[in-house]
Amino acid sequence: EADIYQTPRYLVIGTGKKITLECSQTMGHDKMYWYQQDPGMELHLIHYSYGVNSTEKGDLSSESTVSRIRTEHFPLTLESARPSHTSQYLCASSPLAGATDTQYFGPGTRLTVL
Amino acid sequence: QKEVEQNSGPLSVPEGAIASLNCTYSDRGSQSFFWYRQYSGKSPELIMSIYSNGDKEDGRFTAQLNKASQYVSLLIRDSQPSDSATYLCAVNKGYSTLTFGKGTMLLVSP
């Protein structure tokens, strides 16, 4: 089982601010993911990474960016927050080998943009 | 057609009963199937994975997979009020990504 940490857990911020949501995992998992989930709705993949220096866009068009400079760290940045970005952001990780595709989730960051 | 479809519910069962949750998927090439439990306001928690046709049991949970019918289900025996949550079905899409269904809300009444 993975240990995945997300900070902050809750964030209320004004329109136009730049924000970075942090995600770290201690299991050495190569694959990491960012999802967006609105209440009562399905998870939408917004970014993922296969490993260091690898980043891919997911299915959901997003104005966010990600980086993967270290295996354990996968931050997500919004350059200019808007009310439409209000949502829950979930980070997940998965080992490259073994039980492939199994993803383990962090606790999430609930973002509110005023 | 959505890639992963689930009845949104709620599915209401009395305590001690069997809860049956169903999921259909559209991609015949999918090889990995997962059930996650998500309590309100929390993140998804992995319950089971299944990769081969048939049944897979883990405690009170049984996952069933039928690739010919593109159907995967989760049975919860002896349902408890603490099982009340939304259950998400997830199916692999391509290499290393998952597509999630909208989830089925389960309510177990004491």
Side-chain angles (χ1 to χ4, degrees):
Chain A
E1 189 169 329
D3 291 323
I4 305 177
Y5 308 96
Q6 291 186 244
T7 57
R9 295 291 310 280
Y10 303 92
L11 179 62
V12 179
I13 202 162
T15 297
K17 299 293 186 182
K18 178 180 178 179
I19 59 173
T20 296
L21 307 184
E22 302 288 348
C23 176
S24 295
Q25 49 94 7
T26 60
M27 299 301 292
H29 287 174
D30 289 284
K31 296 179 284 188
M32 296 188 73
Y33 309 83
W34 275 104
Y35 292 89
Q36 185 175 342
Q37 185 183 32
D38 294 323
M41 303 298 289
E42 61 262 61
L43 279 74
H44 290 288
L45 180 65
I46 48 177
H47 294 284
Y48 60 103
S49 167
Y50 294 124
V52 171
N53 294 325
S54 154
T55 61
E56 304 286 344
K57 290 191 174 182
D59 301 322
L60 182 66
S61 175
S62 173
E63 294 160 344
S64 58
T65 58
V66 292
S67 62
R68 190 87 183 275
I69 298 173
R70 305 197 314 267
T71 297
E72 63 272 21
H73 194 213
F74 191 41
L76 180 140
T77 297
L78 281 167
E79 291 292 334
S80 180
R82 296 209 304 265
S84 60
H85 294 137
T86 295
S87 189
Q88 165 123 313
Y89 291 84
L90 294 162
C91 180
S93 72
S94 178
L96 189 62
T100 58
D101 301 332
T102 304
Q103 295 183 17
Y104 302 94
F105 285 83
T109 294
R110 188 166 298 278
L111 173 66
T112 301
V113 183
L114 302 177
Chain B
Q1 181 189 6
K2 285 198 169 222
E3 294 179 70
V4 179
E5 294 211 56
Q6 297 181 256
N7 188 319
S8 59
L11 173 66
S12 296
V13 299
E15 184 175 357
I18 296 175
S20 177
L21 305 162
N22 304 314
C23 171
T24 58
Y25 60 95
S26 61
D27 185 355
R28 286 196 169 273
S30 296
Q31 298 294 323
S32 306
F33 307 86
F34 305 87
W35 283 100
Y36 286 84
R37 177 175 61 199
Q38 187 174 27
Y39 292 112
S40 180
K42 302 295 185 182
S43 62
E45 171 192 10
L46 180 69
I47 296 177
M48 290 190 71
S49 59
I50 187 167
Y51 303 95
S52 304
N53 279 329
D55 295 358
K56 179 181 178 182
E57 187 175 317
D58 184 0
R60 296 187 296 113
F61 300 97
T62 298
Q64 299 175 317
L65 175 61
N66 184 326
K67 290 185 180 179
S69 300
Q70 296 173 250
Y71 175 92
V72 58
S73 65
L74 179 70
L75 300 178
I76 307 174
R77 289 182 300 280
D78 188 23
S79 295
Q80 301 297 311
S82 58
D83 295 327
S84 297
T86 296
Y87 289 80
L88 308 177
C89 173
V91 177
N92 80 296
K93 177 182 177 182
Y95 178 63
S96 297
T97 63
L98 297 180
T99 300
F100 286 81
K102 195 174 177 179
T104 298
M105 181 183 292
L106 173 66
L107 298 175
V108 182
S109 54

